[in-house]
Amino acid sequence: MASDNMSCTEFGDLDLEPDVPNQLESFKKEKHLCATLRKHFSLCRRKSFAAFVASKKKTEGGESWCCCGQTFSEHSAMHKHVARSHQTEVEQRALTAFEKVQSEARAPQAEPQGEPQPGLERADVCSWIPDTSRLSEEQLTQGPGRVLLYYCYCDVLDPHAVCAWQKLLCEKLQLTGKVRVASEGINGTLGGSCAATEVYIHTMCSNSLFRMHQDDFKTSPGGAECFTELKVGVYREIVPMGVDPQVVSYRLAGPHLDPEEFHRELDELLAKDHPSRDTILLDCRNFYESKIGQFTHCLAPNIRKFSYFPDYVEQNLELFREKRVLMYCTGGIRCERASAYLRSKEVCKEVLQLKGGIHKYLEQFPQGHYRGKLFVFDERFAISSNNDVISDCRYCGAPWDHYELCSSVLCRQLVLSCLGCRHEGHTACCPTCQSKDPPLHHREECECTTGRPRIPLDV
């Protein structure tokens, strides 16, 4: 999902094949490309298409587009026109963008500037690996397990050294999951045995760069089986919002409310007969997360990716004008950047965020104001602290909140289909995927995606 949010010039760290055909007709026949290149050329094509459409948009007189002497008032009509009449131009733009990606990927990578951080020199990362000789192989791989969720914003002068250290550390402890490292900090969600995760937490807390504490880690029952593999990499952002951290820094984030303070705020907010018009309880997660669990009387934007959040704010600025905003997300990391972005617009009275996210809130208030399940980005899909079911089956409408992956091989979107409907063969996210002989298409082409506005208006 994160890759869909990247601009076409941000693939410089990909290992691209050197002998890629340079002719446009060869790119149209994507069998000439490896799977990775097909994916990213397709992304360049989609972005080129969107840029072409945007270039035809009229800035005055409402939402409309002018092209070839015609005026279009609906997205769908404009998209059809571009697809039919300007395919060659869009393909050429996509090819140009893709070739730029290829050339940048082959260019030598500049070393990070600044003095190396103590203990994190590349040649010395092994010295930061803890001694685990007291732990047996069984302790590292068997017995009760758990999943860790954490983040830390700080200045990282050499992200690649930290990345190498994290990879060695996780492999030694036999952890699975994902760790994102950037110049702005680190973000991880990892699964393993209780013994292995305890060593990992102690190692992170002992590191002078991050200065983390035990309470900075959110834990839940699970283990290494909750993830298919280990991925550790260097990225521009530790959470993909799509805004340069140098432009909107985490340092602009709103003040934190601990779970007790946040709970008192909700007590006061919900004690009134009608929700306060001066306060907005804002869910910063994606629609499929808030669909199965949320705080009472929250505003949950109908967006598919966190990278859409900045555009959502821009489209709905009047909604936030002179308002006091209480925001929350799963573990707190998205609120750091989201609150910073919203504060940068200078329209709100105040922007506050839940420290530690829903995870920490549920640890103290399992039967509090949060109803339903908490979506998590691993093989479990969700964890629960109460028995409320706030969502329903996509097919029959019965109460249901257990996600499964769409049965279409290329789609793999999440679908809420109850046991009865699945028994009847309803295992796909939309009618196109559900057909007996579905065409090969990706989630962007599913009816449940194309039928939803990319950026909803909540004003």
Side-chain angles (χ1 to χ4, degrees), residues 185-206:
I186 187 170
N187 171 25
T189 175
L190 296 166
S193 71
C194 288
T197 53
E198 191 61 37
V199 172
Y200 184 86
I201 292 175
H202 177 75
T203 303
M204 293 296 289
C205 292
S206 301

Side-chain angles (χ1 to χ4, degrees), residues 29 39 45 59 91 110-111 123 128 160 212 214 221 228 231 251 260 281 286-288 297 308 341 352 397 425 436:
K29 299 177 182 178
K39 175 180 177 182
R45 182 191 290 119
T59 56
E91 291 283 344
E111 290 295 318
W128 282 76
H160 292 278
M212 298 183 71
Q214 186 92 17
T228 57
K231 294 182 179 180
R251 294 182 177 84
E260 294 88 349
L281 180 58
N286 304 321
F287 77 87
Y288 53 85
H297 293 315
Y308 292 177
Y341 189 85
L352 304 168
K436 293 183 179 179

Side-chain angles (χ1 to χ4, degrees), residues 141-148 175-176 190-195 197 218-227 359 376 378-380 382-383:
T141 59
Q142 299 177 18
R146 59 182 176 176
V147 171
L148 304 179
L175 303 176
T176 59
L190 296 166
S193 71
C194 288
T197 53
K218 279 74 71 173
T219 64
S220 58
E225 70 278 3
C226 293
F227 304 91
H359 245 293
V376 290
D378 57 55
E379 298 295 309
R380 299 170 299 172
I383 56 179

